[in-house]
Amino acid sequence: MATSWNWGIFLQPTPFGDTTYLGWIWLGFEMTILLALSSGILAFLVGSFFGVLRTLPNRFLAFIGTCYVELFRNVPLIIHLFFWVYAMPMLVPESVRDWLYNDLDPMFFTFLMATIGLGLFTGARICEQVRTAIISIPAGQKNAAIALGLTLRQSYLYIILPNAYRRVLPPLTSEMLNMVKNSAVASTIGYIDLTKQASQLLEHAGRPYESFIAITIGYVIINIAIMLIMQFIEKRVRLPGTIGGKA
Amino acid sequence: MDLDFGQILPNLSYILHGLLLNLEITATTVIFGIIWGTLLAIMRLSSFKVLRWFALGYVNIFRSIPLMMVLLWFYLLVPQLLQAFLDLPATTDTRFISALIAFALFEAAYYSEIIRAGIQSVSKGQISASLALGMTKGQALRMVVLPQAFRIMTPLLLTQGIILFQDTTLIYTLSLADFFYRAVNIVGNRDGLVTEMIIFTGAVYFVICFTVSRLVNYYKKRVTR
């Protein structure tokens, strides 16, 4: 296998684009973080919206939420991403297609579609966790809120959701970790993330082991960062008087 | 744009044949993943520090790397290892076997976590009772704990199988002619049907996975009743 290591490879210039191989990896690192941030925010918003929707007494609204979750849980991510990049532009009016393909910067277009695809995909999973958390809040809390004269909206905003979101945090952490891992699939639609750079380095640098180790470490660093951030948030929002640690 | 799904029909059997590749990888991985995953779970719970650490390291490493990277890693490693040990000619196509090994070892990490939780959910008294009846630790595990654990976790293992079946689409990146690759890259590109094919493959996956997950739910309700 590895005969001799050559870590100096990262400082050598790349065949095109005025940078070093380390520069390529760094770009991929930044792009992976960027995609994780944007789709993480989208997933959280969409997941929260549909998660609440699924718990509402209105059967029709709950059904819409169920459709969303099933659609995104039963179709592979790569197909979702391909849909947004290659199929969706064909289904919209010509003027919109023109704008997507010609007016938007191609890099930004890929980023936007990757965000939508990965965000909605992850949102379906977060939706389930939000729903589970809301259901796990004893019904007495909601009933008491309604009995006190709060509207349904108020009871969600002031009573149910603040508690539910504290319960969502631990599974949300693992979902965010999954999302970073899933973001690697965006390399198939040409998004220049860490994984895309891994195959670039495989092709051009000629030092596959060093390259792959560096890329893998990049992912591990992002994972650890997310875990630390989520731990910090969990500590900050912990309710006084509850037993720390296990929720 | 007008979609023309009628054009899919003449190519249907060719495309659906690709699904066999996905099913093959899924089936092999589920079987291997459960066996290796069980061993890993037992190691995680064993009293030997070395085994515990090995299993912990194995599971955590595989769980912190994207599947796409694992596929690339094995795409790189497997040919070299095979050539070193089996003396194969350098031109052998090892993409399929690389993907198979990558999936099996990767999924085993996920399966082992499910199985570990399953084993830990069996009440401690069961082991004490088995030992009191004169069974060895191995016998207690094999004949008392594991059968109960597997009964509890079968729905979870099946659900993981559905996720895995969806993940096998990623062999697309190794240009293996699976369902999605045949539909989009071969037929879709050739006949100008990319849009139709993306929607079609999505629909096929949806029907399969939705149906199976409903069956799993039904089974789960029957088991936990």
Side-chain angles (χ1 to χ4, degrees), chain B residues 56-72:
Chain B
L56 185 73
Y58 181 96
V59 170
N60 280 343
I61 285 173
F62 272 104
R63 296 215 317 164
S64 56
I65 309 175
L67 176 56
M68 289 267 303
M69 275 311 292
V70 176
L71 281 171
L72 281 175

PDB file of all heavy atoms in Angstrom, chain B residues 56-72:
ATOM      1  N   LEU B  56     -15.795   0.311  19.184  1.00  0.00           N
ATOM      2  CA  LEU B  56     -16.138   1.725  19.330  1.00  0.00           C
ATOM      3  C   LEU B  56     -15.477   2.559  18.230  1.00  0.00           C
ATOM      4  O   LEU B  56     -16.117   3.383  17.574  1.00  0.00           O
ATOM      5  CB  LEU B  56     -15.707   2.228  20.709  1.00  0.00           C
ATOM      6  CG  LEU B  56     -16.104   3.661  21.050  1.00  0.00           C
ATOM      7  CD1 LEU B  56     -17.592   3.726  21.316  1.00  0.00           C
ATOM      8  CD2 LEU B  56     -15.330   4.174  22.265  1.00  0.00           C
ATOM      9  N   GLY B  57     -14.192   2.308  18.011  1.00  0.00           N
ATOM     10  CA  GLY B  57     -13.455   3.033  16.975  1.00  0.00           C
ATOM     11  C   GLY B  57     -14.039   2.765  15.606  1.00  0.00           C
ATOM     12  O   GLY B  57     -14.279   3.690  14.823  1.00  0.00           O
ATOM     13  N   TYR B  58     -14.278   1.493  15.315  1.00  0.00           N
ATOM     14  CA  TYR B  58     -14.821   1.103  14.013  1.00  0.00           C
ATOM     15  C   TYR B  58     -16.135   1.834  13.726  1.00  0.00           C
ATOM     16  O   TYR B  58     -16.310   2.476  12.694  1.00  0.00           O
ATOM     17  CB  TYR B  58     -15.050  -0.408  14.004  1.00  0.00           C
ATOM     18  CG  TYR B  58     -15.591  -0.955  12.707  1.00  0.00           C
ATOM     19  CD1 TYR B  58     -14.749  -1.500  11.750  1.00  0.00           C
ATOM     20  CD2 TYR B  58     -16.957  -0.939  12.437  1.00  0.00           C
ATOM     21  CE1 TYR B  58     -15.237  -1.999  10.561  1.00  0.00           C
ATOM     22  CE2 TYR B  58     -17.462  -1.423  11.245  1.00  0.00           C
ATOM     23  CZ  TYR B  58     -16.599  -1.957  10.316  1.00  0.00           C
ATOM     24  OH  TYR B  58     -17.096  -2.440   9.149  1.00  0.00           O
ATOM     25  N   VAL B  59     -17.053   1.729  14.685  1.00  0.00           N
ATOM     26  CA  VAL B  59     -18.384   2.316  14.493  1.00  0.00           C
ATOM     27  C   VAL B  59     -18.288   3.832  14.336  1.00  0.00           C
ATOM     28  O   VAL B  59     -18.881   4.423  13.429  1.00  0.00           O
ATOM     29  CB  VAL B  59     -19.311   1.940  15.665  1.00  0.00           C
ATOM     30  CG1 VAL B  59     -20.604   2.727  15.599  1.00  0.00           C
ATOM     31  CG2 VAL B  59     -19.604   0.456  15.643  1.00  0.00           C
ATOM     32  N   ASN B  60     -17.493   4.475  15.198  1.00  0.00           N
ATOM     33  CA  ASN B  60     -17.423   5.931  15.144  1.00  0.00           C
ATOM     34  C   ASN B  60     -16.737   6.444  13.889  1.00  0.00           C
ATOM     35  O   ASN B  60     -17.136   7.472  13.348  1.00  0.00           O
ATOM     36  CB  ASN B  60     -16.738   6.484  16.388  1.00  0.00           C
ATOM     37  CG  ASN B  60     -17.710   6.521  17.550  1.00  0.00           C
ATOM     38  OD1 ASN B  60     -18.922   6.440  17.346  1.00  0.00           O
ATOM     39  ND2 ASN B  60     -17.195   6.604  18.755  1.00  0.00           N
ATOM     40  N   ILE B  61     -15.720   5.722  13.431  1.00  0.00           N
ATOM     41  CA  ILE B  61     -15.043   6.174  12.214  1.00  0.00           C
ATOM     42  C   ILE B  61     -16.013   6.101  11.032  1.00  0.00           C
ATOM     43  O   ILE B  61     -16.191   7.065  10.293  1.00  0.00           O
ATOM     44  CB  ILE B  61     -13.779   5.334  11.943  1.00  0.00           C
ATOM     45  CG1 ILE B  61     -12.676   5.745  12.920  1.00  0.00           C
ATOM     46  CG2 ILE B  61     -13.302   5.532  10.509  1.00  0.00           C
ATOM     47  CD1 ILE B  61     -11.454   4.871  12.854  1.00  0.00           C
ATOM     48  N   PHE B  62     -16.689   4.958  10.876  1.00  0.00           N
ATOM     49  CA  PHE B  62     -17.581   4.828   9.732  1.00  0.00           C
ATOM     50  C   PHE B  62     -18.766   5.775   9.829  1.00  0.00           C
ATOM     51  O   PHE B  62     -19.299   6.208   8.824  1.00  0.00           O
ATOM     52  CB  PHE B  62     -18.073   3.387   9.577  1.00  0.00           C
ATOM     53  CG  PHE B  62     -17.142   2.559   8.743  1.00  0.00           C
ATOM     54  CD1 PHE B  62     -16.291   1.641   9.333  1.00  0.00           C
ATOM     55  CD2 PHE B  62     -17.101   2.722   7.372  1.00  0.00           C
ATOM     56  CE1 PHE B  62     -15.411   0.896   8.563  1.00  0.00           C
ATOM     57  CE2 PHE B  62     -16.228   1.982   6.600  1.00  0.00           C
ATOM     58  CZ  PHE B  62     -15.378   1.061   7.195  1.00  0.00           C
ATOM     59  N   ARG B  63     -19.176   6.084  11.061  1.00  0.00           N
ATOM     60  CA  ARG B  63     -20.342   6.951  11.182  1.00  0.00           C
ATOM     61  C   ARG B  63     -20.006   8.422  11.015  1.00  0.00           C
ATOM     62  O   ARG B  63     -20.900   9.256  10.929  1.00  0.00           O
ATOM     63  CB  ARG B  63     -21.047   6.719  12.523  1.00  0.00           C
ATOM     64  CG  ARG B  63     -21.602   5.300  12.583  1.00  0.00           C
ATOM     65  CD  ARG B  63     -22.877   5.210  13.324  1.00  0.00           C
ATOM     66  NE  ARG B  63     -22.887   5.981  14.537  1.00  0.00           N
ATOM     67  CZ  ARG B  63     -23.981   6.293  15.188  1.00  0.00           C
ATOM     68  NH1 ARG B  63     -25.134   5.890  14.731  1.00  0.00           N
ATOM     69  NH2 ARG B  63     -23.914   6.972  16.299  1.00  0.00           N
ATOM     70  N   SER B  64     -18.702   8.755  11.002  1.00  0.00           N
ATOM     71  CA  SER B  64     -18.393  10.174  10.854  1.00  0.00           C
ATOM     72  C   SER B  64     -17.938  10.520   9.437  1.00  0.00           C
ATOM     73  O   SER B  64     -17.622  11.669   9.154  1.00  0.00           O
ATOM     74  CB  SER B  64     -17.353  10.618  11.885  1.00  0.00           C
ATOM     75  OG  SER B  64     -16.218   9.817  11.770  1.00  0.00           O
ATOM     76  N   ILE B  65     -17.921   9.534   8.540  1.00  0.00           N
ATOM     77  CA  ILE B  65     -17.508   9.807   7.165  1.00  0.00           C
ATOM     78  C   ILE B  65     -18.719   9.659   6.248  1.00  0.00           C
ATOM     79  O   ILE B  65     -19.500   8.730   6.406  1.00  0.00           O
ATOM     80  CB  ILE B  65     -16.408   8.821   6.712  1.00  0.00           C
ATOM     81  CG1 ILE B  65     -15.283   8.778   7.734  1.00  0.00           C
ATOM     82  CG2 ILE B  65     -15.859   9.230   5.353  1.00  0.00           C
ATOM     83  CD1 ILE B  65     -14.236   7.734   7.411  1.00  0.00           C
ATOM     84  N   PRO B  66     -18.872  10.573   5.278  1.00  0.00           N
ATOM     85  CA  PRO B  66     -19.980  10.418   4.328  1.00  0.00           C
ATOM     86  C   PRO B  66     -19.842   9.134   3.521  1.00  0.00           C
ATOM     87  O   PRO B  66     -18.716   8.726   3.194  1.00  0.00           O
ATOM     88  CB  PRO B  66     -19.827  11.625   3.402  1.00  0.00           C
ATOM     89  CG  PRO B  66     -18.941  12.572   4.099  1.00  0.00           C
ATOM     90  CD  PRO B  66     -18.080  11.778   5.020  1.00  0.00           C
ATOM     91  N   LEU B  67     -20.971   8.527   3.204  1.00  0.00           N
ATOM     92  CA  LEU B  67     -20.961   7.306   2.402  1.00  0.00           C
ATOM     93  C   LEU B  67     -20.219   7.502   1.081  1.00  0.00           C
ATOM     94  O   LEU B  67     -19.494   6.627   0.623  1.00  0.00           O
ATOM     95  CB  LEU B  67     -22.404   6.852   2.153  1.00  0.00           C
ATOM     96  CG  LEU B  67     -22.608   5.635   1.258  1.00  0.00           C
ATOM     97  CD1 LEU B  67     -21.853   4.431   1.778  1.00  0.00           C
ATOM     98  CD2 LEU B  67     -24.081   5.305   1.140  1.00  0.00           C
ATOM     99  N   MET B  68     -20.398   8.687   0.489  1.00  0.00           N
ATOM    100  CA  MET B  68     -19.709   8.962  -0.773  1.00  0.00           C
ATOM    101  C   MET B  68     -18.199   8.839  -0.626  1.00  0.00           C
ATOM    102  O   MET B  68     -17.518   8.328  -1.511  1.00  0.00           O
ATOM    103  CB  MET B  68     -20.019  10.388  -1.244  1.00  0.00           C
ATOM    104  CG  MET B  68     -21.414  10.598  -1.733  1.00  0.00           C
ATOM    105  SD  MET B  68     -21.545  10.377  -3.499  1.00  0.00           S
ATOM    106  CE  MET B  68     -20.370  11.557  -4.098  1.00  0.00           C
ATOM    107  N   MET B  69     -17.671   9.341   0.521  1.00  0.00           N
ATOM    108  CA  MET B  69     -16.228   9.255   0.753  1.00  0.00           C
ATOM    109  C   MET B  69     -15.817   7.808   0.998  1.00  0.00           C
ATOM    110  O   MET B  69     -14.753   7.372   0.560  1.00  0.00           O
ATOM    111  CB  MET B  69     -15.820  10.124   1.949  1.00  0.00           C
ATOM    112  CG  MET B  69     -15.554  11.578   1.635  1.00  0.00           C
ATOM    113  SD  MET B  69     -14.449  11.834   0.237  1.00  0.00           S
ATOM    114  CE  MET B  69     -12.891  11.215   0.861  1.00  0.00           C
ATOM    115  N   VAL B  70     -16.667   7.055   1.709  1.00  0.00           N
ATOM    116  CA  VAL B  70     -16.357   5.645   1.953  1.00  0.00           C
ATOM    117  C   VAL B  70     -16.282   4.905   0.621  1.00  0.00           C
ATOM    118  O   VAL B  70     -15.369   4.104   0.385  1.00  0.00           O
ATOM    119  CB  VAL B  70     -17.416   5.002   2.872  1.00  0.00           C
ATOM    120  CG1 VAL B  70     -17.152   3.531   3.049  1.00  0.00           C
ATOM    121  CG2 VAL B  70     -17.421   5.695   4.219  1.00  0.00           C
ATOM    122  N   LEU B  71     -17.225   5.203  -0.271  1.00  0.00           N
ATOM    123  CA  LEU B  71     -17.201   4.567  -1.592  1.00  0.00           C
ATOM    124  C   LEU B  71     -15.905   4.912  -2.330  1.00  0.00           C
ATOM    125  O   LEU B  71     -15.279   4.053  -2.931  1.00  0.00           O
ATOM    126  CB  LEU B  71     -18.403   5.035  -2.423  1.00  0.00           C
ATOM    127  CG  LEU B  71     -19.734   4.362  -2.105  1.00  0.00           C
ATOM    128  CD1 LEU B  71     -20.866   5.056  -2.838  1.00  0.00           C
ATOM    129  CD2 LEU B  71     -19.698   2.893  -2.489  1.00  0.00           C
ATOM    130  N   LEU B  72     -15.499   6.196  -2.260  1.00  0.00           N
ATOM    131  CA  LEU B  72     -14.258   6.599  -2.923  1.00  0.00           C
ATOM    132  C   LEU B  72     -13.049   5.900  -2.312  1.00  0.00           C
ATOM    133  O   LEU B  72     -12.166   5.435  -3.016  1.00  0.00           O
ATOM    134  CB  LEU B  72     -14.073   8.121  -2.839  1.00  0.00           C
ATOM    135  CG  LEU B  72     -14.881   8.969  -3.820  1.00  0.00           C
ATOM    136  CD1 LEU B  72     -14.690  10.445  -3.528  1.00  0.00           C
ATOM    137  CD2 LEU B  72     -14.468   8.664  -5.251  1.00  0.00           C
TER     138      LEU B  72
END
